[in-house]
């Protein structure tokens, strides 16, 4: 399956590397996701609080703060958000802390786009089903609905 099959329609892409951020944003927009980007800690927190995404890609090292804190904020804003940490500075300690903070998946750079798409699909499928569809902001919550789901620096 491809990322097109993923039920998540909104992606918050947080990375201070402009070239990577642009490349990933274009790739996921081409597959039908609504992509919002952030390049700093403050931007990421503001976007996460303003409109929590269904899927988030978070770099651990950001200007102004820690990606781990962004993961915590995203998880607090909406525990159903699928959070993927992508970092060039991976360690066992940060992997454990990321997962405990609410991340679904932890990847180290470089990662190719095909591999990343596969991880995105698998992360969303983690429980065997994608997250239930969300109601528009301020609208009623959806009822018991589930749907089947299935990058290089």
């Amino acid at each position: 399956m491809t990322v097109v099959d993923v039920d998540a329609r909104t992606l918050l892409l947080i990375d201070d590397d402009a070239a990577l951020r642009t490349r990933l944003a274009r790739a996921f927009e081409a597959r039908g996701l609504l992509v919002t980007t952030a390049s700093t800690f403050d931007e990421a927190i503001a976007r996460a609080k303003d409109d929590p995404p269904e899927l988030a890609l978070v770099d651990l090292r950001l200007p102004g703060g820690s990606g781990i804190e962004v993961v915590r904020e995203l998880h607090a804003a909406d525990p159903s958000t699928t959070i993927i940490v992508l970092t060039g500075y991976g360690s066992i300690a940060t992997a454990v802390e990321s997962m405990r903070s609410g991340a679904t998946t932890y990847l180290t750079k470089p990662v190719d786009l095909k591999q990343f798409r596969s991880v995105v699909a698998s992360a969303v499928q983690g429980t065997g089903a994608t997250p239930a569809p969300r109601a528009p902001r301020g609208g009623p919550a959806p009822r018991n609905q589930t749907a089947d789901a299935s990058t290089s620096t």
Side-chain angles (χ1 to χ4, degrees):
M1 292 188 166
T2 66
V3 79
V4 176
D5 299 321
V6 174
D7 187 45
R9 288 177 206 64
T10 58
L11 168 66
L12 175 55
L13 202 157
I14 306 161
D15 200 303
D16 61 332
D17 180 333
L20 175 63
R21 194 175 58 248
T22 300
R23 188 168 59 242
L24 289 174
R26 285 181 183 157
F28 287 108
E29 286 170 344
R31 285 163 181 80
L33 292 175
L34 299 173
V35 180
T36 302
T37 64
S39 61
T40 67
F41 175 82
D42 291 336
E43 272 185 302
I45 296 298
R47 287 189 171 74
K49 288 181 178 180
D50 181 47
D51 189 17
E54 294 167 277
L55 178 64
L57 171 65
V58 181
D59 187 11
L60 284 186
R61 290 197 178 176
L62 297 169
S66 166
I68 297 280
E69 187 57 35
V70 173
V71 169
R72 287 187 188 114
E73 290 287 334
L74 283 163
H75 188 70
D78 187 343
S80 71
T81 297
T82 299
I83 304 168
I84 298 171
V85 170
L86 180 63
T87 184
Y89 304 94
S91 72
I92 292 172
T94 58
V96 170
E97 188 174 6
S98 295
M99 301 304 275
R100 285 186 178 161
S101 297
T104 307
T105 305
Y106 183 94
L107 296 173
T108 56
K109 295 175 187 175
V111 61
D112 70 39
L113 188 56
K114 185 176 179 180
Q115 176 191 16
F116 184 69
R117 278 185 277 186
S118 174
V119 168
V120 169
S122 295
V124 173
Q125 285 183 329
T127 60
T130 59
R134 297 177 185 210
R137 197 162 188 77
R143 292 195 229 168
N144 273 342
Q145 298 174 353
T146 59
D148 292 330
S150 89
T151 131
S152 175
T153 14

